[in-house]
Amino acid sequence: MGLRAFFKRAFGDMKESTKAQHEVDKANFAAAKAESKAQWEEAKATGDPKCRKAVMQAKRDKQIAEANERKAAAEARIEAVKKEEISEE
């Protein structure tokens, strides 16, 4: 293998690597651009009172559902403890 073949292969590898990195950079740029647009749209939507109320209501509904799940789990634990006490007697 001559020096010329070595450099030809080395520069070919660098070219392929550069192309691959360029694709990664394009994908990252597109993702950042989409995220930025999403943030802008969210910020713009929060300025609309109807939209803000709907978002806040959705958050409250989610919190209520989570609280109800926690309550149900706690009540199940209480019932399990009561059943154990009854069976021990």
Side-chain angles (χ1 to χ4, degrees):
M1 175 167 154
L3 191 57
R4 185 176 185 159
F6 171 78
F7 280 112
K8 186 174 182 178
R9 192 182 72 204
F11 283 112
D13 289 345
M14 285 190 287
K15 184 178 178 181
E16 289 176 24
S17 178
T18 301
K19 284 182 181 180
Q21 185 61 45
H22 180 66
E23 291 299 317
V24 170
D25 292 342
K26 281 181 15 181
N28 284 332
F29 180 74
K33 186 176 175 182
E35 289 170 346
S36 177
K37 183 170 179 150
Q39 287 175 345
W40 167 251
E41 292 297 328
E42 288 171 347
K44 191 168 72 168
T46 57
D48 181 20
K50 286 190 275 184
C51 184
R52 185 174 53 247
K53 285 180 184 178
V55 168
M56 294 301 287
Q57 186 61 43
K59 285 182 182 179
R60 286 190 294 265
D61 291 343
K62 182 179 177 185
Q63 290 173 344
I64 289 170
E66 289 172 355
N68 287 337
E69 288 175 10
R70 290 188 356 243
K71 180 182 172 188
E75 288 173 352
R77 289 173 37 208
I78 291 169
E79 289 299 318
V81 169
K82 285 183 180 180
K83 287 181 182 178
E84 286 180 14
E85 289 177 358
I86 293 172
S87 64
E88 289 177 358
E89 292 176 0

